[in-house]
Structures are given as C-alpha cells and as structure tokens.
Amino acid sequence: MFKIFIIEDDKQLVNLLKEHLHKFGYDVQSVDDFEEVRNQFEQYSPHLVLLDVNLPKFDGYYWCRQIRSISTCPILFISARDSKMDQVMALDNGADDYITKPFDYEIVTAKINSQLRRAYGQYASTENGRSYTVHGLTLDVERLQLSLNEQTIELSLTEAKILDELMKKLERVVSRDRLLEKIWDDQAFVDDNTLNVYVTRVRKKLMLLGINDAIQTIRGQGYRLIPDWGHKE
C-alpha cells in the first residue's frame, strides 16, 4: 500500500483529501506538528508528499528542501498561490509538480498515480533499472545517484531522466521536445521554463562533482552533453 504524507494546515482540506485518497486504497497521514515536519516524515517514510506553500513557522519551500536532503520521493505542491514564480520556486527547491487551488480531486489523484508509477511502478521498472558509465561518470538510474572519482551525489527522478537522455546521446543534441516528452509526457503542467529550471539543477549537480559547462545549450534546438571531464584525468 502506498503511503501519502500531507503537509497542509487547512484541516478541512486535509480531511477531504484523506477521504478521497482512502477510496483509492492509499494510506494517508497528515502532519500534526509544523515544527516537526521532517521528523514526522522520517517516521512515516511515505512514498509521496502533498505540500502547501503557506504553512505555520516555515513555508513549504523550506520543508521541500528538508525532505529533498533525505529522500527522492515525489513531492507535489498544492497551493492557492498561482504565479509562475511560485511554481518555478517549487520546482527549483525540489518539487516534482505544482497543483493550484481550488483543484479537482480527480486531477490530484491522477497526478499522484502518475508520480507513483514513475517512481515505483511500471515506468520505474523500465526506465530506472540500469546503470552505466561514460568517461568515468556513472549514472545509476535505479538508485538516483551520480558518481565520479569515488564521489557520489543524489539526484531527483527528473534530474536522473534528463542525464539519462543526455548520456545516451553523448555529444549529440537532444531536443527540448524530446526531453519534455520523455519526462513529462502525461502531465499537464509543462512549459519551457520548467525544463530550464531542471537543466539548471542538473548543471549544479554536475558542478558538485567538479564538472563545469558540460551541458551545452544549442539555441533553438536543445542540449548536448560534452564529456570534457574525461580529458581532465
């Protein structure tokens, strides 16, 4: 049974979400102490998180970063704040999707199902079951890890999928449309800025391994991965 953790201070909304999700067989728990969100997350160990932006004490972006530091589980923001900047900030802090209030409960359920399939289900078994090395850089898509010279960093599922595409087509251009189709083919919230945010995050992860400027932007076409790190050994 999949476990869903709701971080939301609107008790009525929490109860409605619980009632709806229970119908689909999910185990659902909500936070009861907004100063202990991370501890409650670790104790419950959910498969997916629903997270609001406006919360007591610390906002949702803070808790998203805290969860991302210890888990790669899908995180879906649910918020009445509908500006593009709020959505970009959510993605930049580690979220996988953003749903604006008021929302249709069927759409929320569909997005939850989609994320769970990608992270643990039929898509995960075909997309994530491999590990390979290019010029000493190893991508483990199953464990969501990237390694170089005995140093390993954690990736989000989306970051791993972007690197997967770029590494498979090393030194060849991967179109923006291909990345969007590969990563978000069944989600409604997709635009060019979303992809820009994630590519920036992938570049930052590569920098943690000492790899700079390996992802080239090809204007009007897409991105290309150049293995310059392979010439620095």
Side-chain angles (χ1 to χ4, degrees):
M1 179 183 293
F2 286 116
K3 298 188 291 184
I4 298 175
F5 189 44
I6 302 176
I7 307 172
E8 162 70 65
D9 61 343
D10 183 334
K11 293 183 178 180
Q12 182 178 5
L13 177 59
V14 169
N15 289 334
L16 289 171
L17 280 168
K18 283 183 175 180
E19 181 181 352
H20 182 78
L21 294 172
H22 282 152
K23 294 178 182 177
F24 291 86
Y26 292 120
D27 184 84
V28 187
Q29 187 176 113
S30 59
V31 66
D32 53 28
D33 184 345
F34 287 94
E35 294 188 2
E36 297 293 331
V37 171
R38 175 168 170 161
N39 289 338
Q40 290 183 49
F41 171 88
E42 292 186 90
Q43 291 172 11
Y44 185 46
S45 188
H47 296 94
L48 180 143
V49 173
L50 294 177
L51 175 62
D52 193 9
V53 174
N54 295 322
L55 296 170
K57 193 67 177 179
F58 299 104
D59 64 21
Y61 303 131
Y62 171 84
W63 290 119
C64 187
R65 293 192 301 273
Q66 291 292 305
I67 292 170
R68 267 294 162 260
S69 71
I70 56 175
S71 174
T72 57
C73 80
I75 299 175
L76 280 67
F77 269 83
I78 48 173
S79 175
R81 293 164 63 165
D82 59 359
S83 74
K84 178 175 288 189
M85 183 55 65
D86 284 310
Q87 298 177 47
V88 169
M89 285 180 63
L91 293 170
D92 201 28
N93 279 283
D96 295 280
D97 203 350
Y98 193 102
I99 307 169
T100 56
K101 302 174 185 176
F103 48 71
D104 187 301
Y105 288 90
E106 297 301 325
I107 289 181
V108 174
T109 303
K111 286 180 175 286
I112 289 172
N113 290 338
S114 170
Q115 292 292 340
L116 291 173
R117 285 198 307 270
R118 290 181 179 280
Y120 314 104
Q122 64 190 70
Y123 296 165
S125 62
T126 58
E127 296 283 337
N128 297 350
R130 61 184 177 277
S131 173
Y132 50 89
T133 302
V134 175
H135 291 273
L137 181 69
T138 299
L139 173 66
D140 190 324
V141 190
E142 182 176 3
R143 293 182 174 83
L144 300 179
Q145 293 179 337
L146 190 67
S147 304
L148 180 68
N149 297 331
E150 299 183 354
Q151 183 180 0
T152 300
I153 60 172
E154 302 296 322
L155 301 170
S156 71
L157 180 61
T158 301
E159 291 165 355
K161 287 183 177 182
I162 289 174
L163 277 169
D164 184 19
E165 283 297 299
L166 293 173
M167 290 175 72
K168 282 191 304 185
K169 299 181 178 179
L170 195 67
E171 299 188 78
R172 290 180 289 167
V173 176
V174 180
S175 71
R176 296 177 66 88
D177 287 344
R178 170 61 179 168
L179 288 173
L180 289 169
E181 176 186 356
K182 183 75 173 179
I183 301 164
W184 295 291
D185 58 344
D186 63 351
Q187 296 189 27
F189 175 61
V190 176
D191 61 21
D192 278 349
N193 200 49
T194 305
L195 181 57
N196 293 341
V197 168
Y198 272 108
V199 171
T200 297
R201 288 175 55 186
V202 172
R203 284 179 169 136
K204 290 179 179 178
K205 291 295 180 70
L206 289 171
M207 289 174 65
L208 293 176
L209 295 175
I211 300 174
N212 300 303
D213 303 321
I215 299 179
Q216 297 181 348
T217 300
I218 310 301
R219 188 176 297 276
Q221 297 182 48
Y223 301 95
R224 177 171 58 196
L225 184 66
I226 303 297
D228 63 338
W229 65 88
H231 305 295
K232 298 176 181 179
E233 298 178 354

